[in-house]
Amino acid sequence: MAKTVKARAAKRVKKKAVAATRAKATPPARPPRRAAKPAAKRARGPKKAVARERGLVATGARATRATAKAERKATKRAARGAGTPTAKTRAAARTAARVAPRMSRKPFGAAGKALDGVRILDFTHVQSGPTCTQLLAWFGADVIKVERPGGGDITRGQLADVKGADSLYFTMLNHNKRSITIDSKHAQGKRVLEELIKRCDVLVENFAPGALDRMGLTWEHIHALNPRMIVASIKGFGPGPYEDCKVYENVAQCTGGAASTTGFRDGPPLVTGAQIGDSGTGLHLALGIVTALYQRNRTGRGQKVSVAMQDGVLNLCRVKLRDQQRLKAGPLTEYSQYGRGIPFGEATPRAGNDSGGGQPGWILKCKDWESDPNAYIYFITQAPVWGAICDVIGEPGWKTDPDYATPAARLPKLQQIFDRIEQWTIGKTKFEAMEILNRYDIPCGPILSMKELAEDSSLRRTGTVVEVDHPTRGKYLSVGNPIKLSDSISEVKRSPLLGEHTDEILKKVLGFKAREIKEIKDSGALSAPQRKPAA
Ligand code: CAO
């Protein structure tokens, strides 16, 4: 009996000690030198939202008090001979320790945004970088876009459709951001930039290789100014023979494996309309940034995040590298080339509209295909619904015919099978065909034009397609945030005019006095050089 009491007491002490160690294991987030200390004060958003991102500060303070109390109790119990927490139990508790913030009682969607309190120094331009920072802005980050005085991001004036207004190219990639103009090569401009670095959590850039270093903003310098800063970069290539090259979308598609595997076997390589090099790499970088922010909660320090566009594209072409290796084992039987008896070469071939997986698919004509370039449907002959396919197209005999009944038997006849299915689809509009096929769970999809997508009411309802009002160009359509979080609802706000928030940022973010602002402005660091009037 006495032994049981003693054992229970020892267990209680051990539990307390573990709790104490756990509380201790999440230290208060160490304020990074002078720079990040006023984080809670400086945020524009509600204070609670800031506290949430800096959640560990509050939790850490609570944890420290809890630790002290629990340790005092544990020491008293230990003194009574009930046992002492060992280094092992402390270590185990440290590993398992996670101090969760208190659960919000607010309704979903009303508890701020996922990245509230995170401030991004957005040094991006053109498409790849801006898509990344736009996503972060949609999730609530305060994104400050630094632009060259005069013209700003080159896309503001590219592919212009409304005279004197920012182009759709720019507006559709820079929603929810603030804009400040800074000449980063001017001494006073550098001063402003360095102050921004001290007050931001992440710097994102996609300059040509070496450009950031040439501005004097090396990783070492940035890290010394703000050790908590995450420095995220997009380049065309990673280290290797092409690392110094400038890269645009289609170069990345060509060097990342997309072009060699897109198009028809007997035609040239093709680039795809999906911006997998730019927007795809922006997505990769955004994930890298939030992951680094998450790790910073534990380590307290920033790190470099880099994504090469070639790598991003190759990642999206993963299945084609899979096929490259499968070639060693024989022909790729799901490629229609196999059914046509055309031999395979050494590299993954272009597969036209073959489906990438093990369920053969093709694009088939629908009613009015002669006049409508998008009157087509993608049709997948998924094995589990083969019987239904046969019934729908009027070939019930194929269900049991050994030449058609199994996926293996069908592979060499895919062309003939799709020709027969097309005889059925060609009599229906793509929407009628979709409606009928869906009744039988047959996977298919109409080829939707951009016009149809722009007018799609369900995409409008979900906010995937949004109408935005802009002061100089009026209303336009954009793609909203395709990633839906139930507790962090995205609103799409118009892109900033060039330098629209320069004063606001100097004053409210950087805390410059009116005298200092005048001094910086007078130096010419924030404005385009004045052109000399012609003599
Ligand atoms: N103040 C002063 N100078 C500035 C500035 C500012 N605010 N912002 C940019 N600059 C300067 C840069 O410092 C650089 O000067 P140096 O060459 O003298 O160092 C100069 O502007 C040009 O920058 P850049 O080389 O990045 O721009 P570019 O138009 O010549 O090239 C691009 C564009 C996209 C090819 C190149 O930036 C690149 O390869 N980026 C990485 C890959 C990438 O993201 N590509 C996607 C592009 S979207 O298809």
Side-chain angles (χ1 to χ4, degrees), residues 123 125-128 146-149 182-185 206-209 211 214-215 234-236 245-249 278 309:
F123 230 150
H125 64 156
V126 204
Q127 186 184 162
S128 63
V146 176
E147 296 183 80
R148 197 203 282 262
I182 305 175
D183 179 349
S184 61
K185 290 175 181 158
N206 68 312
F207 290 124
R214 288 195 289 278
M215 287 179 191
I234 290 177
K235 298 289 164 253
C245 300
K246 289 183 178 180
V247 167
Y248 283 103
E249 169 70 48
D278 280 335
M309 293 169 74

Side-chain angles (χ1 to χ4, degrees), residues 295-469:
Q295 188 173 10
R296 193 183 72 169
N297 283 340
R298 194 159 40 78
T299 62
R301 66 180 184 216
Q303 60 182 300
K304 288 189 271 183
V305 180
S306 330
V307 185
M309 293 169 74
Q310 181 186 39
D311 300 9
V313 171
L314 181 56
N315 184 33
L316 299 177
C317 293
R318 180 172 290 263
V319 297
K320 299 296 178 181
L321 185 58
R322 171 201 69 193
D323 293 350
Q324 178 63 42
Q325 295 168 87
R326 288 173 59 228
L327 273 174
K328 282 192 205 125
L332 306 172
T333 52
E334 78 283 13
Y335 281 52
S336 46
Q337 172 175 347
Y338 168 73
R340 289 179 194 156
I342 299 164
F344 284 77
E346 286 185 346
T348 308
R350 293 188 267 289
N353 290 318
D354 287 333
S355 88
Q359 309 286 354
W362 199 255
I363 289 183
L364 305 176
K365 289 171 185 158
C366 292
K367 200 171 170 184
D368 298 331
W369 67 274
E370 302 92 334
S371 55
D372 177 355
N374 294 306
Y376 290 84
I377 191 164
Y378 199 90
F379 192 109
I380 298 183
T381 54
Q382 193 205 16
V385 290
W386 175 245
I389 294 171
C390 298
D391 286 336
V392 168
I393 63 168
E395 293 288 353
W398 282 3
K399 287 192 278 188
T400 48
D401 184 336
D403 280 349
Y404 296 90
T406 64
R410 290 194 289 273
L411 278 177
K413 300 185 198 60
L414 284 178
Q415 173 81 52
Q416 180 211 334
I417 290 169
F418 282 122
D419 284 349
R420 175 65 189 90
I421 299 173
E422 194 172 61
Q423 285 172 22
W424 178 83
T425 58
I426 211 162
K428 321 258 173 311
T429 69
K430 60 189 175 186
F431 296 112
E432 284 165 356
M434 172 88 175
E435 210 266 312
I436 296 167
L437 296 170
N438 268 311
R439 275 187 233 150
Y440 302 96
D441 276 345
I442 299 167
C444 60
I447 309 304
L448 295 181
S449 68
M450 275 299 149
K451 181 172 184 297
E452 286 161 334
L453 288 164
E455 291 163 359
D456 187 307
S457 57
S458 58
L459 292 177
R460 296 286 185 106
R461 272 196 299 279
T462 58
T464 297
V465 175
V466 286
E467 193 175 74
V468 186
D469 205 357

Side-chain angles (χ1 to χ4, degrees), residues 69-92:
K69 197 172 168 191
E71 270 187 346
R72 275 199 303 278
K73 282 196 176 180
T75 314
K76 275 186 197 166
R77 281 178 194 279
R80 289 203 300 268
T84 325
T86 63
K88 205 172 164 188
T89 56
R90 281 182 191 280

